[in-house]
Amino acid sequence: KNEVEQSPQNLTAQEGEFITINCSYSVGISALHWLQQHPGGGIVSLFMLSSGKKKHGRLIATINIQEKHSSLHITASHPRDSAVYICAVLRLGGGSQGNLIFGKGTKLSVKP
Amino acid sequence: DTAVSQTPKYLVTQMGNDKSIKCEQNLGHDTMYWYKQDSKKFLKIMFSYNNKELIINETVPNRFSPKSPDKAHLNLHINSLELGDSAVYFCASSHKSVWILHFGPGTRLTVT
């Protein structure tokens, strides 16, 4: 079992819907990242969280350290949000900040 | 003025060859990384490097070696290429005080 699990694996939504992607992890962490991989392959860092909640435009990321769980929400979804969303954690004592453990990603498709 | 660039974008080569992938960042970051994304789109850290320390994921074969001529560059050398090395390789960088990763566009390596 992977140390970082995401659900769902695939998600299809209609434009305008509220979307939630979940990430659970089984190790102690110092930080959690949400990444977006576009259909063309490029990867963009969306959020880095160590506690609480962050918001950027229509994207909201939350983390509950006690429950070892994070969620990524997209409000008023749009076809351009279609991408793979990847959760990654930096293990406590994991050394370099780039030494991340990745989830397998959630493929989101937003239909017009 | 691309922040993190990689060359080449595509690389097709035969088994047994030695190849290099170049990475350059113009963000003034102090740490650079190499990640491998396999055919199932699963990302794994290979190396992280700053001018003081190289951290190697112990699962990476010693046929892979990072070379950093200066702070802005981290090249990936691969000796005796094998079929299983076929993947997309991403370079990334970050600053030690800010944990946001900036990814390069990726290099798709195909070994035949």
Side-chain angles (χ1 to χ4, degrees):
Chain A
K1 187 176 155 93
N2 201 31
E3 292 164 303
V4 180
E5 294 284 348
Q6 288 185 235
S7 63
Q9 280 190 312
N10 293 284
L11 179 56
T12 300
Q14 286 299 126
E15 184 173 357
E17 284 185 0
F18 179 84
I19 288 163
T20 296
I21 299 170
N22 296 299
C23 175
S24 296
Y25 50 91
S26 57
V27 295
I29 69 168
S30 54
L32 181 144
H33 292 253
W34 280 103
L35 308 171
Q36 180 192 53
Q37 186 165 26
H38 298 292
I43 300 176
V44 174
S45 180
L46 298 175
F47 295 103
M48 192 280 292
L49 294 164
S50 52
S51 64
K53 175 180 175 178
K54 286 191 176 179
K55 184 175 190 291
H56 181 68
R58 295 181 294 106
L59 301 177
I60 303 166
T62 64
I63 188 168
N64 185 318
I65 296 291
Q66 286 73 32
E67 294 186 3
K68 296 187 174 177
H69 182 269
S70 175
S71 293
L72 176 68
H73 305 285
I74 305 175
T75 61
S77 60
H78 189 277
R80 65 175 176 265
D81 298 326
S82 298
V84 175
Y85 292 84
I86 302 168
C87 173
V89 302
L90 180 62
R91 193 201 303 256
L92 270 173
S96 166
Q97 57 193 272
N99 190 5
L100 301 172
I101 306 169
F102 293 86
K104 293 188 176 181
T106 294
K107 186 173 182 179
L108 171 66
S109 178
V110 181
K111 306 292 186 190
Chain B
D1 56 346
T2 305
V4 182
S5 59
Q6 293 179 229
T7 54
K9 192 170 171 63
Y10 300 96
L11 180 55
V12 181
T13 188
Q14 290 185 321
M15 282 176 57
N17 285 348
D18 302 337
K19 290 292 179 185
S20 295
I21 305 172
K22 294 185 177 181
C23 178
E24 177 180 2
Q25 54 93 6
N26 62 6
L27 298 166
H29 288 166
D30 52 25
T31 308
M32 296 181 72
Y33 314 88
W34 278 104
Y35 296 92
K36 179 181 180 181
Q37 188 173 43
D38 62 23
S39 57
K40 296 182 179 179
K41 305 292 187 184
F42 193 46
L43 277 159
K44 279 192 177 179
I45 181 75
M46 299 179 71
F47 304 101
S48 67
Y49 182 79
N50 62 29
N51 58 6
K52 296 176 185 176
E53 188 178 22
L54 170 66
I55 299 176
I56 302 171
N57 184 326
E58 65 272 9
T59 66
V60 175
N62 58 14
R63 297 180 295 104
F64 290 78
S65 57
K67 298 277 196 298
S68 181
D70 55 58
K71 279 179 63 173
H73 296 84
L74 184 67
N75 303 324
L76 182 64
H77 295 268
I78 317 169
N79 294 326
S80 303
L81 277 156
E82 299 178 359
L83 292 175
D85 298 332
S86 295
V88 180
Y89 292 85
F90 287 95
C91 176
S93 70
S94 68
H95 191 276
K96 61 183 177 184
S97 62
V98 181
W99 289 2
I100 298 296
L101 290 166
H102 294 257
F103 284 84
T107 295
R108 182 176 293 277
L109 171 65
T110 303
V111 182
T112 62

